Amino acid sequence: MRSLLIINPISGQGKAAREKRKLLDYASAAAHMRTVITSGPDDAAETAQKAAHDGYDLIIAAGGDGTINQVINGIGDIGIPLGIVPLGTGNVLAHDLGIPIHNTEKALEIIRRGKTRRVDVAKTNTRRFILMAGLGFDAAVIDSVSPKVKDVFGTMAYAPAIIEQLVKFTPARFRLTFNDKSVYETEAYAVIAANCGTYAYNFKIARQAIFDDGLLDIMVFEAGALTAINLVGQALDTIFQGTIAHPSTSYFRAAKVRVESEPSVRMQLDGDLHGESGVDIEVVPKALSLIVP
């Protein structure tokens, strides 16, 4: 079986670096495995695309959610299975699936067992994602953190960015148009279209969201009764209670939604910035073969 291992050399921090050395040792002893260490922002996507078209039987992505996002975009609709060795900062997908974090041996054991699950991905006008699209406040926070600072401080790098955005972020007027042609308009801080329930680490923000139901779980964190400080408190309530705790949060489920806003706001996909509002978001049912525990 021909396997391709794609490693992001800059994902994660100290412990991830040790796990990558173990992974390289494993790969060098596996005659069937080819290893590519990425060196640029699009390397993982381009490498995965070529491998899928060249008839590889398995792709393994070693890195964080951004690396996995790239690989998913490279694979496209080709049904090659994807295994994950989670070595990033957040590892949201691995937490949601129950894959051990920063543990090469256990992640590889899951891949060797080869249990696959067909899961949904979602797509915007130009790009696929597997976790979520976030428009507004959370994308502005990500935009405030430089990659170099994130590499050094990990998730702690987001704390000052959150404070900065709490001071200066203002709500936008959002218009959501669903696939049944219904329309919802409101002033809000953020819109999140989730394909999975986990938002960060193992914190669940949309407990109804699952990978293979053909639907997006869409949350609108509305303004009105909310202040910016209350927005963070509401998000924490949602995470820890597992429900939408505040009446100023609206919840929808749909296979497709168009998200527009005035003014335009930035958009993040799986934790990285990609575009802005004025975007169609829809599910691609069971488009990915994922190796799971």
Side-chain angles (χ1 to χ4, degrees):
M1 183 174 74
R2 298 173 67 211
S3 303
L4 175 68
L5 171 64
I6 300 174
I7 300 178
N8 180 352
I10 62 172
S11 61
Q13 296 174 281
K15 188 173 182 179
R18 294 192 294 273
E19 294 300 317
K20 285 171 194 171
R21 286 194 290 272
K22 294 180 187 177
L23 188 57
L24 287 169
D25 290 341
Y26 168 83
S28 66
H32 64 280
M33 185 173 291
R34 174 179 165 237
T35 302
V36 173
I37 298 175
T38 61
S39 59
D42 298 317
D43 278 6
E46 293 171 0
T47 302
Q49 183 181 46
K50 188 174 188 305
H53 285 284
D54 286 350
Y56 276 78
D57 302 295
L58 170 67
I59 293 178
I60 301 171
D65 295 310
T67 304
I68 295 166
N69 179 277
Q70 283 198 45
V71 172
I72 289 168
N73 277 276
I75 291 174
D77 290 322
I78 298 173
I80 182 171
L82 173 62
I84 298 168
V85 180
L87 299 175
T89 302
N91 303 298
V92 173
L93 178 60
H95 278 295
D96 202 272
L97 294 171
I99 299 173
I101 308 300
H102 293 166
N103 190 321
T104 296
E105 291 89 348
K106 289 185 178 180
L108 288 172
E109 179 56 34
I110 290 169
I111 293 170
R112 279 192 291 268
R113 288 200 295 266
K115 178 184 175 183
T116 59
R117 175 182 173 188
R118 299 293 300 195
V119 301
D120 302 337
V121 297
K123 67 177 182 178
T124 65
N125 306 11
T126 59
R127 191 173 186 89
R128 295 186 174 206
F129 63 93
I130 191 167
L131 300 174
M132 66 191 64
L135 299 100
F137 183 84
D138 65 334
V141 170
I142 290 170
D143 194 22
S144 299
V145 179
S146 76
K148 289 183 179 179
V149 172
K150 180 182 172 184
D151 290 342
V152 173
F153 294 102
T155 54
M156 290 301 296
Y158 291 106
I162 290 172
I163 294 171
E164 176 189 355
Q165 292 303 320
L166 285 174
V167 172
K168 73 179 188 181
F169 190 85
T170 56
R173 184 74 187 176
F174 282 92
R175 176 184 174 92
L176 280 64
T177 306
F178 298 96
N179 49 301
D180 64 358
K181 306 303 182 184
S182 62
V183 175
Y184 185 76
E185 293 190 62
T186 189
E187 189 176 42
Y189 286 97
V191 172
I192 294 173
N195 188 44
C196 81
T198 302
Y199 183 81
Y201 293 97
N202 59 346
F203 295 150
K204 294 284 186 178
I205 196 170
R207 289 190 179 272
Q208 297 180 62
I210 54 177
F211 282 114
D212 55 5
D213 62 353
L215 294 170
L216 294 166
D217 289 61
I218 302 157
M219 288 153 287
V220 183
F221 292 85
E222 300 187 27
L226 277 176
T227 66
I229 293 292
N230 289 338
L231 171 66
V232 175
Q234 177 187 345
L236 290 173
D237 284 344
T238 300
I239 286 167
F240 288 111
Q241 295 181 27
T243 59
I244 299 301
H246 195 287
S248 290
T249 299
S250 298
Y251 194 108
F252 306 91
R253 306 189 82 215
K256 182 176 181 179
V257 61
R258 178 167 180 80
V259 183
E260 300 168 289
S261 72
E262 180 58 45
S264 295
V265 296
R266 300 299 303 273
M267 176 175 68
Q268 63 90 2
L269 303 176
D270 293 349
D272 289 321
L273 293 171
H274 293 286
E276 58 185 23
S277 52
V279 63
D280 295 303
I281 305 172
E282 65 179 301
V283 170
V284 186
K286 301 207 168 65
L288 178 67
S289 180
L290 198 59
I291 296 180
V292 298

